[in-house]
Amino acid sequence: MTRFSGHGAEFQAKGPFTSRIAYAAAPVTADQRAENIPGAPAALDWETTLRFRHHLWSYGFGVAEAMDTAQRGAGLDYPATRELIRRSAAEARSVGGAIVAGVATDQLPPGPATIDEITKAYLEQLHDVRDAGATPVLMCSRHLAAAARDADDYKRVYGELLSQSDKPVLLHWLGEAFDPALAGYWGRRETVLEIIEEHRDRVDGIKLSLLDADYEIAMRRRLPAGVRMYTGDDFNYPALIRGDDQGHSEALLGVLAVIAPPAAAALRALDEGDITAYEAILGPTLPLARHLFAAPTYHYKTGIVFLNWLAGHQDHLTMVNGAQSGRSPQHLLTLMRLADEAGLLPDAALAEHRADAWLTTVGLA
């Protein structure tokens, strides 16, 4: 029988932290009674999906809605995405929770699209997010990556979006480890800095998910005053959030969806200037994160849902688009051990019961 330590019960919700801004990119819970098979429209369990957002708000995190962690572009179609943003933003207002939400072009059919069609699709989603009451996050577009001839096409599209945004937005640079279709985005790396410089009054910050800590630090130091760096580096986040004498990164991370309780405690320690406690609490989550986001990185969502099931945040493992098959049993077995060491399974009895049932079904009992 599986045995867990129950470590982590001490990480209780104790109000907000103040020295860092941190958004958790939240997953969705599929309706296990629906046809959530590859290619089928997404059907969500709304009650469980929204309840998990309240869990994140209770620990002081903002919610980053409808990002890649929510299977955006990997089974979550745009009708479901629009409804998710609308419902989550309403829940955020009910508790005073912070929320940002992804703006992309995934309502367009797969395949070629013109720059004008891409811009129109972006603007439609920008208005949907703004009307819902969330702060927009301008995500990378597979359509734009395929259509753009050079950096000027990116400047044209993003310039139009930013000029029509009445409040500052976040930009999002998702690297090819997360989505191979985004290789070569921006045409050249300097492009995004030029866009930010030209429209600095419309950009709150940029979320960088390149898994390259050195580049993130170098870019962070070049951002205009008042423009924030939000780390999306699930391999190096403790040091990037801690920062150095020249600044730090805020956070917008998928891993926060599973490590919220200890991460909140670590950030409260950072508020108090207790770097030793910060590192002691957050450090054990890093081996888990690096395993969770191991190549092929885009399947990390399977591990997030698996851990949230073990922790009791949902009652089944069914995922939109049948994505529960994205990781091997051996990968998930290692993930269980790392989660226990990081203090993510405080209800040991529940986790043990579920782990034993799962091990039986996959032939590892």
Side-chain angles (χ1 to χ4, degrees):
M1 292 181 63
T2 309
R3 288 289 178 264
F4 293 120
S5 67
H7 167 54
E10 68 271 26
F11 300 133
Q12 299 296 314
K14 296 180 180 178
F17 38 85
T18 58
S19 61
R20 299 291 185 272
I21 299 169
Y23 290 96
V28 294
T29 302
D31 182 348
Q32 74 271 36
R33 298 174 181 83
E35 289 291 314
N36 277 300
I37 58 174
L44 301 187
D45 174 345
W46 290 109
E47 181 179 354
T48 304
T49 294
L50 296 174
R51 184 172 65 240
F52 186 71
R53 278 116 183 99
H54 282 275
H55 160 74
L56 295 172
W57 286 318
S58 75
Y59 278 91
F61 293 96
V63 167
E65 190 55 274
M67 308 295 286
D68 47 303
T69 306
Q71 294 180 251
R72 190 77 181 268
L76 190 71
D77 54 89
Y78 192 62
T81 295
R82 184 171 49 220
E83 182 67 8
L84 175 64
I85 293 169
R86 186 189 69 80
R87 292 191 186 214
S88 291
E91 293 296 316
R93 286 192 296 274
S94 75
V95 296
I99 185 167
V100 299
V103 171
T105 62
D106 48 336
Q107 76 272 48
L108 293 173
T114 67
I115 295 296
D116 286 343
E117 289 169 337
I118 292 165
T119 303
K120 183 179 178 181
Y122 259 135
L123 287 171
E124 177 188 2
Q125 293 200 19
L126 178 64
H127 294 146
D128 286 343
V129 169
R130 191 166 55 194
D131 289 347
T135 297
V137 181
L138 304 185
M139 300 175 69
C140 295
S141 163
R142 292 174 182 170
H143 295 97
L144 183 55
R149 296 163 298 176
D150 52 32
D152 287 342
D153 282 336
Y154 288 97
K155 290 183 177 181
R156 174 183 164 190
V157 173
Y158 279 85
E160 181 67 18
L161 295 173
L162 291 167
S163 69
Q164 293 204 30
S165 212
D166 57 351
K167 295 180 179 179
V169 305
L170 278 70
L171 303 184
H172 185 199
W173 186 354
L174 192 69
E176 60 186 288
F178 291 91
D179 188 343
L182 299 177
Y185 208 76
W186 306 114
R188 53 187 177 83
R189 283 191 161 190
E190 292 294 305
T191 303
V192 66
L193 283 165
E194 292 166 3
I195 291 171
I196 292 170
E197 183 65 42
E198 185 175 351
H199 303 277
R200 63 168 71 187
D201 61 324
R202 303 292 177 90
V203 179
D204 170 84
I206 179 167
K207 189 252 194 186
L208 201 64
S209 296
L210 300 185
L211 304 179
D212 184 340
D214 290 339
Y215 184 77
E216 178 173 323
I217 293 168
M219 184 176 179
R220 186 173 76 199
R221 292 173 179 170
R222 295 180 62 191
L223 291 175
V227 177
R228 300 179 176 94
M229 173 62 73
Y230 289 85
T231 187
D233 190 333
D234 299 282
F235 285 178
N236 301 291
Y237 54 91
L240 290 165
I241 294 170
R242 185 186 66 239
D244 55 33
D245 58 359
Q246 296 185 56
H248 65 267
S249 296
E250 314 294 353
L252 197 163
L253 288 159
V255 72
L256 290 176
V258 291
I259 68 167
L267 290 170
R268 286 194 298 273
L270 198 59
D271 288 348
E272 298 169 1
D274 191 342
I275 302 299
T276 300
Y278 169 83
E279 293 179 342
I281 297 169
L282 206 55
T285 70
L286 194 54
L288 173 132
R290 290 177 174 174
H291 183 71
L292 182 67
F293 286 83
T297 301
Y298 46 82
H299 284 310
Y300 76 90
K301 304 129 183 133
T302 301
I304 284 182
V305 168
F306 180 77
L307 292 180
N308 281 349
W309 171 68
L310 282 180
H313 295 299
Q314 59 186 75
D315 294 330
H316 60 86
L317 289 173
T318 299
M319 294 176 67
V320 168
N321 204 42
Q324 62 269 17
S325 63
R327 291 296 200 190
S328 71
Q330 285 295 338
H331 176 94
L332 298 176
L333 188 62
T334 299
L335 200 59
M336 283 198 303
R337 174 181 58 79
L338 294 170
D340 186 45
E341 293 172 0
L344 307 183
L345 304 173
D347 188 339
L350 174 66
E352 288 164 4
H353 174 75
R354 291 186 169 185
D356 287 340
W358 173 76
L359 287 166
T360 298
T361 66
V362 298
L364 294 176

